Amino acid sequence: MAGMTLPAADWRGRPALDRLIDALDGAAGMARWVGGAVRDSLLGLPVADIDLATRFAPDEVVRRLEAAGIKAVPTGIAHGTVTAVSDGTVVEVTTLRRDVATDGRHAVVAFSDDWREDAARRDFTMNALYADPLTGAIFDWFGGLDDLAARRVRFIGDPYRRIAEDHLRILRFFRFHARFGDAIDADGLAACVARANDLMALSRERIAAELLKLLVAPGAVPVVTLMEAQGIFRPVLPEIDAAGVARLAALADRESVAGIAPDAIRRLAALVAPAAAEGVGARLKLSNNDRKRLVQASAGPGTEGVRALGYRVGIESAVDRLLLAGEDPQELVGWDRPALPIGGGALVARGLAKGPDVARTLRAVEARWIAEGFPPADRVAAIADEEVAQALRSRRNA
């Protein structure tokens, strides 16, 4: 695939990028596009994040950006990364680097002016492709273009060394294979299986971030099936077993049939048994909302009907529960959860004394409103008249 150039993708036409390339002397070969933007453009996929590598040191990058009127945010300046913001376009600009020391979790880097040296420290060959910002010429030192054409995720150099540098690359190998891969690279797989215990050294937040991205990738089900069979999860998520993988596969089929986008928390809920959900959510340090969803997802569809469930627990959680239970969530697609068109003040105006009677009667009105399929305000007013009359009779007879 020698001589390939970067396609004229939409993102390349943003005016802000011309200013950025000028500021960093792209015409003199001092800056090149790198990573996901190059990879995804070559694959004809939408580009989410734009990364630029440069020979300039971080302080010089900041000076040049500010001189060109481009906002420079020192997001990771100690590691060489400056975020350039111009006309709503965000680009991560990183000085060429080489690793000085690695411990599997963090890297100590030194800045470099050698493109190949910078490429050699990256994880996979498809992520080590650089492109001239003006001509689009591709620079490929490790066979990344051939691997991209073959849909093969392959470590740069020795897989064991790459994993020793950053243990998270084990999960990244599988995530990238689930997103881009065809036949899995045997050497990479063998190294990941042999070094799976290295995952125990990672923070649970990093593990969670990779796992959740993996779970919504196009090839998530076969890749997770492979990972479980090869013992990849065992050191850090022993709750994931063959039964969980089968539940995940069933859920993915239901999402597809229903036309509902894959959701990472929902899929994680399928992957771990209900009894383990609380513990897994805590260990992965998920947000409170995600932990709540994870625990509630297996609670079943309820007995009041699909929209009643959506009203009571929220549409997102209701879709989780329905799909995991094998029920059809179509009634919730495009449905806006309504608000009860009456409040406690309206019941007081009908003669109820303020206090617990109001709350109790309002709950009764709401229950009937839900049971009748959320009728409009005039029907709710009639229900309220009836429930208030009943409450007043009960009070007199007490």
Side-chain angles (χ1 to χ4, degrees):
M1 299 181 70
M4 177 170 283
T5 59
L6 195 64
D10 289 346
W11 65 272
R12 294 184 65 195
R14 300 181 192 178
L17 297 182
D18 291 337
R19 293 173 56 212
L20 177 62
I21 296 305
D22 287 344
L24 295 176
D25 211 358
M30 295 300 289
R32 293 173 181 169
W33 304 124
V34 67
V38 177
R39 178 198 65 225
D40 292 350
S41 294
L42 289 169
L43 290 172
L45 299 173
V47 167
D49 301 316
I50 305 173
D51 293 280
L52 190 70
T54 180
R55 283 174 160 163
F56 289 118
D59 290 345
E60 178 65 7
V61 170
V62 172
R63 189 192 70 77
R64 284 172 167 265
L65 294 182
E66 290 179 343
I70 298 171
K71 183 179 180 181
V73 184
T75 42
I77 200 162
H79 287 85
T81 299
V82 176
T83 301
V85 184
S86 179
D87 297 330
T89 296
V90 178
V91 178
E92 297 292 321
V93 181
T94 302
T95 301
L96 302 185
R97 298 173 293 183
R98 58 182 172 84
D99 288 335
V100 175
T102 56
D103 63 3
R105 293 173 297 170
H106 310 287
V108 177
V109 299
F111 301 129
S112 170
D113 64 357
D114 187 322
W115 294 102
R116 190 183 190 283
E117 194 171 47
D118 187 72
R121 70 177 297 279
R122 295 178 181 268
D123 49 11
F124 310 120
T125 61
M126 64 171 59
N127 292 338
L129 299 171
Y130 297 67
D132 185 290
L134 300 181
T135 68
I138 301 292
F139 299 87
D140 175 18
W141 292 273
F142 302 104
L145 287 172
D146 289 338
D147 287 331
L148 204 61
R151 295 283 186 151
R152 178 174 55 238
V153 180
R154 185 167 62 87
F155 285 102
I156 294 172
D158 178 11
Y160 289 89
R161 180 177 176 181
R162 295 281 85 81
I163 291 170
E165 291 166 349
D166 184 353
H167 305 322
L168 192 67
R169 287 172 173 168
I170 295 172
L171 295 182
R172 283 175 62 81
F173 175 79
F174 291 104
R175 173 166 73 86
F176 274 77
H177 182 66
R179 185 177 175 196
F180 301 111
D182 190 0
I184 198 161
D185 179 67
D187 292 340
L189 176 61
C192 289
V193 172
R195 304 307 306 175
N197 283 345
D198 291 352
L199 292 171
M200 289 189 289
L202 295 172
S203 74
R204 294 309 180 256
E205 292 95 333
R206 294 187 78 199
I207 290 173
E210 280 298 317
L211 176 61
L212 295 178
K213 291 176 185 176
L214 165 62
L215 288 177
V216 294
V221 172
V223 169
V224 169
T225 302
L226 174 66
M227 293 172 73
E228 192 280 326
Q230 295 290 340
I232 301 296
F233 293 115
R234 202 170 299 131
V236 289
L237 286 169
E239 295 86 351
I240 296 177
D241 57 16
V245 173
R247 289 192 299 270
L248 172 64
L251 170 63
D253 285 343
R254 292 178 198 135
E255 287 173 336
S256 178
V257 169
I260 290 175
D263 180 274
I265 297 300
R266 185 191 308 132
R267 287 187 166 193
L268 181 60
L271 201 50
V272 299
E278 180 66 52
V280 168
R283 193 179 329 134
L284 294 179
K285 298 187 177 179
L286 301 180
S287 69
N288 288 338
N289 182 63
D290 285 345
R291 285 163 72 169
K292 183 178 178 181
R293 277 187 67 197
L294 194 65
V295 171
Q296 291 183 345
S298 299
T303 59
E304 294 181 282
V306 170
R307 288 189 171 174
L309 179 67
Y311 175 80
R312 291 198 182 278
V313 305
I315 292 174
E316 185 178 56
S317 187
V319 170
D320 294 343
R321 288 170 59 167
L322 291 162
L323 285 172
L324 262 70
E327 300 288 335
D328 187 355
Q330 283 300 320
E331 284 184 50
L332 297 179
V333 176
W335 183 66
D336 293 324
R337 182 175 178 269
L340 180 64
I342 198 169
L347 304 188
V348 172
R350 284 168 165 79
L352 276 187
K354 293 181 179 179
D357 281 351
V358 172
R360 186 162 45 247
T361 303
L362 191 61
R363 285 195 298 272
V365 171
E366 182 183 47
R368 289 181 59 183
W369 176 65
I370 294 170
E372 292 185 19
F374 311 101
D378 56 348
R379 173 58 187 155
V380 176
I383 294 172
D385 290 341
E386 294 169 11
E387 291 298 329
V388 167
Q390 176 62 41
L392 292 173
R393 282 195 299 273
S394 296
R395 170 65 65 182
R396 286 195 298 268
N397 296 333

